[in-house]
Amino acid sequence: MTLTAPAPPAPGGTAEEPARRRRSRTGTSAWTPWLYLLPALAVLGALLVYPVYQLGLISFLEYTQAQVSGGEPTSFQGFGNYTALFTDPQFRQVLLATVVFAAACVAGTLAVGCALAVLLTRVRALPRLALMLAALGAWATPAVTGSTVWVFLFDADFGPVNRLLGLGDFSWTYGRYSAFALVLLEVVWCSFPFVMVTVYAGIRAVPTEVLEAAALDGASQWRIWRTVTAPLLRPILAVVTIQSVIWDFKVFTQIYVMTNGGGIAGQNLVLNVYAYQQAFASSQYSLGAAIGVVMLLLLLAVTLVYLRLLRRQGEEL
């Protein structure tokens, strides 16, 4: 007769003990993580979900100053506000300007932030500390303060930049493209520190053996960044890119302050400023809400497309 040894007990309990009893003994269940997340989800629901719901609801109504004051009843317009927007030539022009301006800001922010992050890994401790403090100072400066300082620096009469460049009384905010360029510089100046600090932390986490091996193989610094460092930093670059797209697409303060509300005859309007003008200057709150919904959908579409491309390349975020 052959004797067989009994099966060893399963980890956390005997072989005959059901999984439910083992979970009760450890005190955990599938709902435990959600219980920890419940306070944060409740706060997000109150601060995000409900306002978005109200924004979408108002965009389908006729909601002007007459309805706010109670002089006229609120009526359902369906997609009437969206039809009025997309048939308005000014809205299409502002939408195109916003997309181009945001793309330029994102490209400039990523280029400056990544370049300075690489520079931080090449300099000594004291210059690195000075650069970090200067960048964090720009990051911590309020948008209104930073915009006002930049307007003074490029002022046609008293600004030091025109004197250094020999431009005389050239007005940066008079022309459409020069005004957009000035705002772009200010947006990049106050946005690149986030990219710089995040990418620098990612570079420091890259194994030095990999970089040294690439250098021994004769790769240049640019080739090392393009073929070794950047692929390893792709999840981090995805985060800073999405953040930059969201921030730069909904720029408001810099445009409003530096171009005095959108420039001459609205030549420097972006969607956020245009929505403000429609909602509060013209009391067309439903049109302003419709512009907000369009911006939200565009940002969601860009984010989802970018994440889908990353997943196709095998990246896990």
Side-chain angles (χ1 to χ4, degrees), residues 174-226:
Y174 182 79
R176 183 187 185 193
Y177 298 106
S178 60
F180 268 129
L182 180 60
V183 178
L184 184 147
L185 291 175
E186 200 279 337
V187 171
V188 172
W189 172 77
C190 67
S191 301
F192 83 85
F194 170 74
V195 178
M196 183 191 73
V197 173
T198 306
V199 174
Y200 173 70
I203 293 176
R204 299 297 295 180
V206 175
T208 57
E209 296 82 3
V210 178
L211 302 178
E212 292 174 355
L216 290 176
D217 289 339
S220 62
Q221 294 297 327
W222 166 246
R223 187 172 181 83
I224 291 175
W225 165 262
R226 185 171 58 87

Side-chain angles (χ1 to χ4, degrees), residues 82-237:
Y82 295 95
T83 303
L85 279 182
F86 286 101
T87 55
D88 183 8
Q90 186 181 16
F91 172 76
R92 296 196 297 268
Q93 180 182 359
V94 172
L95 177 61
L96 177 61
T98 304
V99 172
V100 174
F101 176 75
C105 289
V106 171
T109 302
L110 292 178
V112 174
C114 291
L116 291 179
V118 175
L119 179 62
L120 287 176
T121 63
R122 301 288 189 267
V123 298
R124 295 181 180 274
L126 187 59
R128 185 188 308 124
L129 178 61
L131 180 56
M132 291 283 285
L133 291 177
L136 293 177
W139 194 14
T141 302
V144 175
T145 304
S147 301
T148 305
V149 171
W150 274 74
V151 169
F152 170 76
L153 292 176
F154 288 84
D155 185 75
D157 298 321
F158 307 103
V161 174
N162 280 9
R163 296 181 183 179
L164 292 175
L165 299 179
L167 297 178
D169 59 350
F170 175 75
S171 176
W172 290 83
T173 58
Y174 182 79
R176 183 187 185 193
Y177 298 106
S178 60
F180 268 129
L182 180 60
V183 178
L184 184 147
L185 291 175
E186 200 279 337
V187 171
V188 172
W189 172 77
C190 67
S191 301
F192 83 85
F194 170 74
V195 178
M196 183 191 73
V197 173
T198 306
V199 174
Y200 173 70
I203 293 176
R204 299 297 295 180
V206 175
T208 57
E209 296 82 3
V210 178
L211 302 178
E212 292 174 355
L216 290 176
D217 289 339
S220 62
Q221 294 297 327
W222 166 246
R223 187 172 181 83
I224 291 175
W225 165 262
R226 185 171 58 87
T227 60
V228 178
T229 309
L232 292 175
L233 296 179
R234 192 169 293 160
I236 294 177
L237 293 176

